[in-house]
Amino acid sequence: MKTLNSILTSLRKTNRVVIRNLHPTTQTELIKEALEVRLVEVRRVTNVLHRVIKIQLPLFFVDLEPTPKSSEIFQLSSLLHTKVKIEEPYKPKSISRCNNCQEYSHTKTYCGYPAHCVRCGAYHQSKFTR
């Protein structure tokens, strides 16, 4: 039996897709308007940045409202006079591990646990062990 919380969570959840091959300088508002003309309800469009050097890539994340027509976005082959490829985002192939507490499923940025040394097992950061 579904609870009220699970129903509300499923209603708020967005469908995320990736649009490839649009020029990185394309404005996100233009992409949003072009998709809404094609009757796709868009919540947000975000340009993807390179992890290290932080330059814009020809990738855009699009968060769609969960509607019956939202799956039709995969049928698009061109957008804003450009041939595009629309696909689901890739899932990371490795499990994230925290460099602070050495636990899995989160990273150091979001860690609230005390530091744990990977070398000796004591409760301090690994960089202090020689």
Side-chain angles (χ1 to χ4, degrees):
M1 183 173 168
K2 290 188 175 184
T3 63
L4 180 61
N5 190 29
S6 66
I7 294 170
L8 290 176
T9 303
S10 65
L11 290 175
R12 280 183 258 144
K13 187 176 180 182
T14 61
N15 298 329
R16 179 168 271 195
V17 296
V18 176
I19 300 180
R20 295 181 174 275
N21 302 332
L22 279 177
H23 196 272
T25 60
T26 307
Q27 296 178 1
T28 56
E29 287 300 316
L30 283 175
I31 298 169
K32 185 175 181 179
E33 290 171 8
L35 289 172
E36 287 175 345
V37 166
R38 297 181 185 220
L39 303 176
V40 177
E41 293 183 41
V42 178
R43 195 176 282 183
R44 183 175 62 189
V45 178
T46 309
N47 188 220
V48 179
L49 300 177
H50 189 277
R51 280 188 306 150
V52 178
I53 55 178
K54 305 298 183 204
I55 62 169
Q56 294 177 331
L57 298 174
L59 296 171
F60 290 86
F61 285 138
V62 179
D63 294 333
L64 304 172
E65 294 290 342
T67 62
K69 290 190 132 249
S70 63
S71 62
E72 294 178 9
I73 194 168
F74 293 106
Q75 309 305 319
L76 293 177
S77 60
S78 67
L79 187 68
L80 297 173
H81 308 291
T82 307
K83 186 176 179 182
V84 296
K85 185 175 181 182
I86 299 177
E87 55 193 31
E88 291 184 12
Y90 293 143
K91 302 268 191 245
K93 293 181 181 173
S94 63
I95 300 171
S96 60
R97 183 175 182 186
C98 179
N99 291 332
N100 182 47
C101 70
Q102 312 310 322
E103 293 291 328
Y104 291 98
S105 76
H106 67 277
T107 59
K108 182 171 73 171
T109 308
Y110 302 104
C111 184
Y113 299 109
H116 197 89
C117 180
V118 72
R119 294 180 187 153
C120 67
Y123 288 100
H124 60 85
Q125 292 181 347
S126 296
K127 65 182 177 182
F128 295 126
T129 302
R130 291 184 182 221

